[in-house]
Amino acid sequence: MIDPNHPSGPDHPGDPDLPTGPDPQGDPHQPIGPDHPDHLSEPTPPSHPYYQELEFLTPREAPVRFAVRYGEDHRPPGRPGVLARRATLGTGVPVLQYRLASSAQGDPHAYALLEREAAAAVALERRYGGARFGAVFARIVGFDLTAAEPFVLYRPPTGRPLSEWTGRLGAEDQERITGQLAMAVRLLGEADLVHRALAPDTVRWDGARVRLCEPYAAQRAGEAREPFGGAPWASPEQRAGQGVADPRDDLWSVAEIAYYLLAGRPDRGEGPPADLADYRRLAALGQSGLFAARAADRPRPVELMRLLHVPDPLATGIGAADPLDRWRGEYDRQIARKRAASGAAPLRPDAEEPPPPPARPSRPSLRDRIFGGGGDALRPAAPAATPAPAPPPPPRGRMCPHCLLPVEYDERLLVTIDAKGNRIPLDLSAERRPGHVADALRKAYHLCPHTVDGDEEHELPVPYLTNGEPLSIALVGSSSVGKTHLLAAMLGEVELGGLEPYGLKCRPLNPEAHRNFLRERVQKLKEGRQLGRTGQQTFARFADGLLVSAGGAPARPVVFFDLAGEDLAQDGEVGRFLMGVDAFVFVLDPLRALRLPGLDPVREQSGLRRRDLGDEAFTTVLNRIPRQRGGLVAAPAALAVNKSDLVRFEPVVDRWLGRALTGRHDPAAVREESRDAYAFLAHHAGAAWLKPFDDCADCTLHFVAATGGQARGDRFPHGARPRRVLAPLLSLFALCGLLPGAEPTEGIVR
């Protein structure tokens, strides 16, 4: 049996892999911070020619600055694009630096791996850094992911790799190593991490305690396995990249290491070793299923610890209670309140519906010849040939999303728009080739007949009128909250096929307008360029539109409105379209909302100030939208905590932002993320920032990042890296009946 609180032994002298110089002073479990005696408050004097300056963030995201002296670079194995070197901070604090070389920064995957490593190391340090058993992990000192060459700093490791101990360890030490590795996997699993890089060359032993290498290959439990490692140390599923990452992947590595230490040689790595029965000390491990080829057939870490008689350090709990739990309970109470208020509420009264369109003339129109009579919302019901019950009320007419008046298709109002914006009448009456007509209509526009003196002339893409029920979505937020970047990131992910795993197919509503949006917005963002601010308008026009279809259902037009924050915050005529919008994405900026001191330097740099009164655009828009009985807004909404990368190391944010979307609709996961995001905002921001959730009957909450980093000048130094930007859109699609497998009323409340 091992004692998880057993102190670590001394370093072995003369290890060429360890930096020279004295060990860090003070409590080894405390991160180096501003109060450390080696912290620099002034630039390094020029009389120190061998020193440079190094600024970074501690695991608690406190900025610090040190004089630093670097050793020689070398390339660590298993980490392509990364350079490692020893460094000495201040008056003699040794660290190891792993940085992304400039030559590798053209590969976004390389940056993502370093960012994921930093997130894993910070999560482990924050969770276990104050406990003695936390010494089994590589101890992060600090990081800077925005530097020209992003880097992570670690304390130097103790001990020597297990590969150097072959044949020198007694039975008791072998059992201690196996037990401590099982405990490490248990701790990793509790933090929702899978290390994936446990092997004799990466695990160290100092005579008393194991020490795992840096989590450079770590993945979130439940994410799709990425192929990594080789036989025998990586499990067959991990090597092949099959299924999802599981803490029991690391237990395979523990089993192979235990066999290696006892047998003195590695196994094949395909299942239980052929000679496993020859080693009685491994009999219990073999019987437990630890060597099973499939993770699902292996015991869980806590079960293995019981088998090895290793006490579970988490059995009695560690650390303080989660302060967000109080607010998670408040979320549940608010959901119950809204359910009670809106449960029996009717839909919008019939009086608000536009009048039905007039009957069509007997002569078949151009639209009839091309689109036939299938399922159009504008076509009145055909008269019955024989006596029948009274027909249902005529369907709701198509409404112009700009002026909120009904529009009936009229081929006399067809136009095309040239490069100068001139509207040119389109007459297709003489065209007899259906394919040519259909192609022309795909690119054509239909003038809105309701333009009056003083109104701006406007038009609709013809597919808006010739397909299924439209869905209009408005992004709401003050200026500079990132609405334009978020919309560009969303449509960029759509263009890359991000909706296809959910059974959705997308086409442009108007090909030329969509190309312009991709060129002027999406492509610039993909190139790492910051987008200009949205200009104020005198008339609300949607930014882009899609035709979204699922299976054999008719395609539905989806249009996106992105207005300047100044237009949304003013109760003027330009915002009158809001009364007819079908769904909303409220975009929240952490720099304005969150009471987190770590955001102060970014606030100072960007010139933004925190507001206790919430987003004035939220309030103005919500006050303008019609309410249903119970005083709640009927239109579905999503509250997107944009720029979440600024707080990515907060545990609850990291839990979601560090995960990719799963490719399937999971209402339980949507509710869980909403609950976490609500608790995070309620704890760190004023109540006014939750007004969209309070006022809307159905409102989900999401952590998203449109760019993944802060711009310097007009560029994002390491490119734009959108994260989870489709989550709010998918939630709205589910609530509006567009997402296969989701009920239209499958919301948080209903």
Side-chain angles (χ1 to χ4, degrees):
M1 183 175 76
I2 69 165
D3 177 4
N5 293 318
H6 192 283
S8 300
D11 293 353
H12 290 270
D15 187 342
D17 294 329
L18 300 181
T20 58
D23 291 334
Q25 300 297 313
D27 183 355
H29 297 296
Q30 292 298 321
I32 299 173
D35 296 331
H36 191 279
D38 293 321
H39 174 248
L40 297 180
S41 59
E42 298 294 337
T44 305
S47 58
H48 295 275
Y50 298 106
Y51 282 84
Q52 303 176 41
E53 272 195 351
L54 184 67
E55 296 186 41
F56 56 88
L57 299 176
T58 70
R60 296 286 176 183
E61 297 188 79
V64 295
R65 184 162 50 120
F66 281 88
V68 61
R69 185 172 59 186
Y70 294 113
E72 295 295 324
D73 283 333
H74 68 276
R75 295 190 177 276
R79 305 182 68 173
V82 171
L83 295 175
R85 59 184 172 182
R86 307 170 188 174
T88 303
L89 302 180
T91 59
V93 179
V95 294
L96 293 179
Q97 184 194 61
Y98 295 90
R99 75 185 194 280
L100 189 63
S102 299
S103 59
Q105 293 187 27
D107 179 8
H109 185 61
Y111 184 94
L113 288 177
L114 185 69
E115 188 176 37
R116 192 166 71 185
E117 173 186 348
V122 168
L124 292 172
E125 181 67 29
R126 288 188 174 188
R127 195 177 189 102
Y128 304 125
R132 286 183 176 272
F133 55 77
V136 299
F137 299 117
R139 303 295 300 279
I140 185 172
V141 172
F143 60 93
D144 186 350
L145 298 175
T146 65
E149 291 189 320
F151 63 85
V152 184
L153 300 173
Y154 293 95
R155 298 185 186 184
T158 60
R160 292 178 176 274
L162 291 178
S163 56
E164 298 183 16
W165 289 91
T166 308
R168 298 166 51 191
L169 296 172
E172 183 177 348
D173 279 345
Q174 292 180 30
E175 291 176 0
R176 290 176 63 82
I177 290 170
T178 303
Q180 290 187 25
L181 287 175
M183 180 187 70
V185 174
R186 161 81 167 119
L187 298 174
L188 284 160
E190 188 68 14
D192 221 19
L193 292 170
V194 184
H195 194 281
R196 306 197 324 134
L198 304 183
D201 289 334
T202 61
V203 175
R204 289 174 173 261
W205 173 250
D206 63 10
R209 189 181 297 275
V210 299
R211 192 267 199 184
L212 277 54
C213 70
E214 301 80 12
Y216 57 84
Q219 271 197 274
R220 296 283 173 187
E223 284 191 311
R225 286 189 181 98
E226 296 177 359
F228 182 82
W233 316 116
S235 71
E237 292 169 313
Q238 181 177 308
R239 300 196 301 264
Q242 298 173 342
V244 298
D246 189 305
R248 290 170 289 185
D249 296 346
D250 286 339
L251 288 190
W252 167 277
S253 305
V254 173
E256 292 295 336
I257 290 173
Y259 176 85
Y260 169 80
L261 294 176
L262 186 56
R265 65 181 185 280
D267 181 43
R268 304 177 290 116
E270 298 300 331
D275 58 349
L276 185 61
D278 296 340
Y279 300 97
R280 288 185 299 172
R281 295 212 308 270
L282 295 179
L285 299 183
Q287 294 169 3
S288 72
L290 193 61
F291 289 93
R294 295 176 63 251
D297 297 329
R298 297 176 208 131
R300 297 193 176 277
V302 70
E303 296 167 348
L304 178 61
M305 291 173 66
R306 283 197 294 266
L307 181 66
L308 297 173
H309 305 292
V310 175
D312 182 359
L314 304 181
T316 57
I318 61 171
D322 188 346
L324 299 188
D325 283 345
R326 167 196 170 191
W327 297 109
R328 292 185 179 99
E330 179 62 22
Y331 171 87
D332 296 337
R333 287 187 287 274
Q334 291 301 320
I335 289 294
R337 171 188 66 83
K338 292 198 289 184
R339 181 179 292 115
S342 65
L347 297 175
R348 293 183 181 180
D350 294 339
E352 293 184 13
E353 306 241 347
R360 294 184 181 276
S362 57
R363 179 179 63 86
S365 68
L366 175 66
R367 182 174 179 278
D368 293 328
R369 288 191 280 121
I370 298 304
F371 297 100
D376 180 22
L378 297 179
R379 178 181 297 278
T386 57
R396 178 176 177 173
R398 193 61 43 88
M399 186 170 64
C400 173
H402 306 293
C403 64
L404 305 185
L405 291 171
V407 177
E408 184 183 4
Y409 185 90
D410 185 343
E411 58 198 53
R412 296 169 299 179
L413 298 178
L414 298 180
V415 298
T416 59
I417 301 178
D418 64 16
K420 296 182 179 180
N422 299 315
R423 296 170 176 84
I424 303 171
L426 177 64
D427 183 3
L428 296 174
S429 59
E431 178 58 69
R432 300 304 174 192
R433 294 168 294 182
H436 287 232
V437 174
D439 186 61
L441 291 178
R442 183 174 64 92
K443 298 178 286 187
Y445 289 88
H446 186 287
L447 293 176
C448 179
H450 302 293
T451 302
V452 297
D453 291 342
D455 281 353
E456 183 172 338
E457 189 176 14
H458 56 282
E459 61 286 321
L460 300 170
V462 168
Y464 185 88
L465 298 174
T466 57
N467 285 277
E469 184 69 17
L471 173 65
S472 57
I473 299 175
L475 281 75
V476 178
S478 293
S479 179
S480 300
V481 301
K483 300 188 302 296
T484 299
H485 289 87
L486 179 57
L487 179 57
M490 278 182 180
L491 295 185
E493 294 294 298
V494 170
E495 193 72 12
L496 294 173
L499 294 180
E500 292 184 6
Y502 299 88
L504 297 174
K505 296 289 185 181
C506 299
R507 292 177 289 133
L509 186 61
N510 178 271
E512 184 61 30
H514 186 62
R515 273 195 300 271
N516 287 337
F517 187 87
L518 292 181
R519 181 171 57 249
E520 297 300 321
R521 296 297 190 187
V522 177
Q523 186 58 40
K524 287 182 178 179
L525 186 61
K526 291 290 182 184
E527 293 170 355
R529 298 159 63 185
Q530 188 174 27
L531 304 180
R533 294 177 59 179
T534 303
Q536 289 189 257
Q537 304 178 36
T538 58
F539 185 81
R541 294 177 176 273
F542 56 79
D544 196 15
L546 300 171
L547 283 173
V548 182
S549 58
R556 291 181 62 182
V558 179
V559 294
F560 299 91
F561 285 90
D562 175 25
L563 266 65
E566 295 87 349
D567 288 334
L568 292 170
Q570 298 171 2
D571 204 4
E573 286 302 308
V574 70
R576 63 184 179 181
F577 81 102
L578 292 165
M579 293 183 289
V581 168
D582 299 304
F584 294 88
V585 178
F586 293 91
V587 184
L588 182 146
D589 185 354
L591 294 173
R592 291 176 167 92
L594 301 183
R595 296 185 295 263
L596 288 174
L599 294 176
D600 289 341
V602 187
R603 278 190 268 259
E604 183 177 351
Q605 181 183 14
S606 60
L608 297 175
R609 300 176 61 184
R610 189 174 62 80
R611 286 176 50 91
D612 285 329
L613 298 179
D615 191 313
E616 56 186 354
F618 289 5
T619 302
T620 302
V621 170
L622 288 167
N623 288 342
R624 194 163 193 170
I625 306 172
R627 305 290 177 114
Q628 65 178 13
R629 193 169 64 197
L632 297 174
V633 173
L639 179 58
V641 185
N642 195 22
K643 306 180 187 178
S644 287
D645 51 283
L646 293 172
V647 287
R648 78 189 86 178
F649 297 113
E650 292 294 321
V652 70
V653 181
D654 183 49
R655 177 187 179 192
W656 296 101
L657 199 66
R659 292 182 178 277
L661 295 176
T662 61
R664 63 182 180 85
H665 177 59
D666 184 353
V670 174
R671 294 188 188 97
E672 192 67 19
E673 182 181 13
S674 296
R675 195 168 182 257
D676 279 351
Y678 177 94
F680 180 72
L681 293 175
H683 184 64
H684 292 294
W689 289 98
L690 286 165
K691 187 171 177 60
F693 173 82
D694 294 337
D695 285 15
C696 297
D698 279 305
C699 180
T700 57
L701 298 91
H702 308 271
F703 294 110
V704 305
T707 64
Q710 288 291 100
R712 291 186 178 178
D714 62 349
R715 302 192 69 86
F716 298 98
H718 302 292
R721 304 177 308 281
R723 293 188 178 185
R724 296 181 66 87
V725 293
L726 289 181
L729 185 60
L730 289 164
S731 175
L732 295 181
F733 280 2
L735 291 168
C736 296
L738 247 176
L739 196 62
E743 294 295 329
T745 58
E746 192 179 70
I748 297 298
V749 171
R750 290 174 294 208

